[in-house]
Amino acid sequence: MRSLAALAKTITPKNLPDALHARLAAAAKRHRRSLNNEAIVCLEAGLGHDHLAE
């Protein structure tokens, strides 16, 4: 069984509009998360929570 860390990938959003970055940063601050963790939560909410889907 592989750990989640072994399955983790890195992405770098490019050309993120300033207004979207500001909304993400505000949500991260409100939820006391890093910008990266807030982006992950938003992606999971939009795409679902199945961590092992391929």
Side-chain angles (χ1 to χ4, degrees):
M1 178 179 203
R2 292 185 282 174
S3 70
L4 286 179
L7 299 175
K9 303 292 182 212
T10 300
I11 63 170
T12 303
K14 299 195 188 267
N15 303 318
L16 192 65
D18 289 340
L20 183 56
H21 180 272
R23 287 171 48 205
L24 187 61
K29 184 175 182 178
R30 186 171 55 252
H31 297 127
R32 303 185 71 166
R33 296 183 182 121
S34 68
L35 198 57
N36 185 72
N37 284 347
E38 189 66 27
I40 290 170
V41 168
C42 290
L43 285 168
E44 286 180 335
L47 299 173
H49 296 280
D50 187 3
H51 295 285
L52 302 177
E54 293 186 29

